[in-house]
Amino acid sequence: MEHGSATATASPNIAFVKYWGKRDEELILPYNSSVSMTLDDSLNTVTSVLFSKELNADRFFINGEEQDLSDNDIAERFKVVGIMRRKAGSADHVLVVSRNSFPTASGLASSASGTAALVYACSRALGLKLSAKELSIIARQGSGSSCRSILGGIVVWKKGRNADGSDSYAKRIAKKEQWPDLIDIIAIVSTERKRVLSRSGMKQTVESSSLFKARAKFAERNSRDFAKAVKSKDFDSMASIIMKESNDMHAVMLDTYPPIIYLNDVSKEIIAAIHGLNESSGKALAAYTFDAGPNAHIITLKGNEEAVRNALSRVDGIRETITAGIGSGPRALSEKDSLIDMERLMPKS
Ligand code: DP6
């Protein structure tokens, strides 16, 4: 192939049943299955790639800044490009230009949407005809949670059993249309960067937490129960699993030695506010969940948005809220949306 280029967009996902802990660090294989919802375009990454004989090195730009490919963290995430290049039998260098349209200083992670958009764009540029299963297996090796962003709707990442990772992939359990009213109200309480990265943090947990050994079992059961609740349209059960899963993951983080503490006082007040709201309503109107940071994701249905906002308005310390709906997964964009200047072989200015 002389020239192969493509542009794709993908969105992050928010985990309802959490992934925290790898049984294989190289292939990124988890101890338990996890479940998430892929968000809509309110938060997204657009990535353009160009494979060409005219390039004499791989180059990677995010939000206009060139990334150092010799940096470990960047190289690990860029690994997916090598995997796809080998699959396609290509020896061409690549230019990757990526842009996150996340609300400024939101403190939200973009690695899942970034990796999913990169994998999706590379597969098209290299002319690889890969299924969602195959794409998710590749994305998984760049960043675990990104494999769930390869599909829209509600998605499970099956932990799998095989040592080669061939059965550890993402699968949709509900289309966006089955849960059109599901929303994530993100309460930003801090814009600081994570103090402990999830990669090293989860390794420390696996090595030092005795509670973690118990978690793997019930997280697996939670994944199955959550899938059942999704199918039977049981928001009440979904909400309780979401909250217990978040609490459980943060409990094993605290049980890690030295402890990993992501939640702050505002996060804890949000937890109390949501329990207060649910108790006074006599049923679950909303669920909170936290990833590797203090920002809260409040999962609810569109009809409950006002009640949730009311409850949140009584919590001091929330800087802003961003509402995202359920998304339909990555998609290719047209050439006019490309972030690459094809004449200069550089990012468009
Ligand atoms: C807390 O997918 O960022 O968000 O596989 O090391 O790249 P790596 O980790 P990453 O971990 C995300 C963990 C989480 C929970 C989740 O999304 O399931």
Side-chain angles (χ1 to χ4, degrees), residues 13-15 17-20 22 28 34-35 77 111-112 140 142-146 148 157 194 198-200 202 249 253 290-292:
N13 63 76
I14 176 66
V17 176
K18 304 292 191 185
Y19 149 57
W20 190 259
K22 299 175 179 69
I28 308 198
S34 52
V35 185
R77 291 178 201 279
S111 80
R140 189 201 75 217
S143 178
S145 62
S146 75
R148 297 184 310 235
W157 168 14
K194 305 176 193 175
S198 36
R199 187 146 303 187
S200 53
M202 61 177 88
M249 179 181 73
M253 287 167 165
F290 300 82
D291 279 339

Side-chain angles (χ1 to χ4, degrees), residues 175-194:
K175 284 191 178 161
K176 170 187 163 152
E177 290 73 22
Q178 288 168 267
W179 279 95
D181 291 339
L182 204 55
I183 53 170
D184 177 6
I185 303 173
I186 307 166
I188 307 293
V189 309
S190 162
T191 55
E192 251 177 73
R193 262 185 71 84
K194 305 176 193 175

Side-chain angles (χ1 to χ4, degrees), residues 191-301:
T191 55
E192 251 177 73
R193 262 185 71 84
K194 305 176 193 175
R195 264 164 297 170
V196 183
L197 288 173
S198 36
R199 187 146 303 187
S200 53
M202 61 177 88
K203 187 166 189 271
Q204 288 165 27
T205 299
V206 172
E207 286 165 1
S208 66
S209 164
S210 42
L211 292 185
F212 178 73
K213 292 177 183 63
R215 164 160 173 77
K217 267 196 198 135
F218 46 77
E220 201 53 34
R221 192 175 61 219
N222 281 342
S223 291
R224 283 196 300 272
D225 290 350
F226 193 85
K228 278 187 210 144
V230 165
K231 290 221 161 66
S232 57
K233 291 249 151 204
D234 178 0
F235 184 75
D236 228 75
S237 300
M238 284 163 67
S240 66
I241 296 173
I242 291 171
M243 293 185 278
K244 286 181 183 168
E245 263 296 317
S246 174
N247 296 340
D248 194 62
M249 179 181 73
H250 288 276
V252 300
M253 287 167 165
L254 185 61
D255 187 49
T256 302
Y257 195 79
I260 302 168
I261 302 171
Y262 287 119
L263 306 183
N264 65 19
D265 288 347
V266 185
S267 318
K268 290 174 197 164
E269 277 202 37
I270 295 174
I271 292 176
I274 297 300
H275 281 295
L277 171 70
N278 290 343
E279 270 154 36
S280 64
S281 319
K283 61 173 184 168
L285 292 192
Y288 53 80
T289 185
F290 300 82
D291 279 339
N295 297 324
H297 293 256
I298 310 301
I299 310 303
T300 188
L301 300 168

